[in-house]
Amino acid sequence: MLKCDEVERMLSDYEDGALPFSKMVAIRFHLMMCRRCPALERSLRETIDVLRAMRDEPIHEGVDPEDDKGE
Amino acid sequence: MPEDPHLMPPTPLDDATIRELEPFLLRLAGRAVRDAVLARDIVQATFLSLLEPTSTYDASRGMVRSYLAGVLMRKVADHYRRQRRERVTGDFDETADGLDERVAFDPSRAMHPIDRSRAMSVIDRALSRLPDQQRLVVLACDVEQMDRAEAASSLGITEGNLRVLLHRGRHELRKALEDAEMR
């Protein structure tokens, strides 16, 4: 079975289906067995979902990257 | 005086192409530079680049969309360089070894989802904090959903480097989202 750090390194590719089939299956199996990695996978998938949903959102000009630090 | 068609350079830049690609290029430039006027200037200059005698567009080598996205991203990179007076090429030197970094993650931190509009706001701001090339890769691959080969070609980098930049960029944004969820 893959180790967690190996899965972490491949998760971004996994989300895009950009891995060989055997690796995709191995990661899916790891995610079924691991207590830690599924939350990381969900978090990364949510991030990518949000990015994809941003395409048709209005663009906010001059965003100050520091703005949200105090939220 | 009627136009002499023989004086027109061969170009794929017709009205239909402009209408089709302008929204895509405006979104890409708009999110990259956060300035509508500047974004429009960059997009116009990008289209005009096809008409320049020095244009290297070759219809037999790929789609005009990829070519224009590449021109646009180089113009954005030039803008970043001028604006921040820092070299942007450093990010391109990253290799697949960059994937060896562990991505700090605490599973207990992913338990408090925030609403979608706040998540967008958090990620939008976090995007502006990413290194320039990571930001362009994330914008191309995730926001604009270009395929990896097209995005890498447009950015003039290998798919291996794009993979590293995308991995790092996505995890930085994920961490920003987690931080927001913790508040």
Side-chain angles (χ1 to χ4, degrees), chain A residues 60-71, chain B residues 31-34 80 83-84 86 120-132 135 172-173 176-177 179-180 183:
Chain A
H60 303 293
E61 291 193 35
V63 170
D64 181 347
E66 303 299 312
D67 274 0
D68 64 334
K69 287 199 169 172
E71 285 181 16
Chain B
R31 288 204 190 280
V33 302
R34 307 287 186 166
Y80 288 154
Q83 187 183 49
R84 299 184 181 184
E86 68 181 18
M120 278 190 189
S121 171
V122 167
I123 286 188
D124 206 25
R125 290 194 170 93
L127 256 175
S128 64
R129 291 195 294 267
L130 288 182
D132 297 340
R135 181 185 319 123
E172 283 302 314
L173 300 176
L177 199 54
D179 288 344
R183 290 184 191 135

Side-chain angles (χ1 to χ4, degrees), chain B residues 50-62:
Chain B
L50 272 177
L51 303 174
E52 291 169 0
T54 53
S55 169
T56 55
Y57 176 68
D58 177 356
S60 67
R61 294 178 60 189

